Amino acid sequence: IRDEVNGYNKNLFCIPKHYEEDLERVFIPHGLILDRTERLARDIMQDMGSHHIVALCVLKGGYKFFADLLDHIKALNQNGDKSVPITVDFVTVKSYC
């Protein structure tokens, strides 16, 4: 996203009431995030070829993105010409800031 992009008016989206006062604009719509996540899954499948995929999720903040990404990879695995083995694991990271 370029610095001069002002985002989208929040009135174009369904915003939960408890966020309405805190939110000014929406910079990246959810649909765009889902589309890019699906594209990332396709790129991973193409780049990995038939190699085993080891997927590692950093817990707390990354679980939703990780789950969406794996759903797309699994769908490609089921509907594609090839099936790639996937191993899933999780880690927790502690910040020392």
Side-chain angles (χ1 to χ4, degrees), residues 17-55:
K17 289 212 177 284
H18 57 278
Y19 288 129
E20 284 179 349
E21 297 300 318
D22 299 322
L23 189 66
E24 291 180 24
R25 304 189 71 68
V26 174
F27 285 102
I28 306 174
H30 183 68
L32 180 59
I33 293 171
L34 290 177
D35 184 67
R36 293 295 298 138
T37 304
E38 182 177 359
R39 181 57 199 218
L40 180 59
R42 289 178 186 216
D43 290 346
I44 289 169
M45 290 294 288
Q46 182 178 1
D47 291 347
M48 291 304 294
S50 60
H51 292 83
H52 183 160
I53 295 174
V54 177

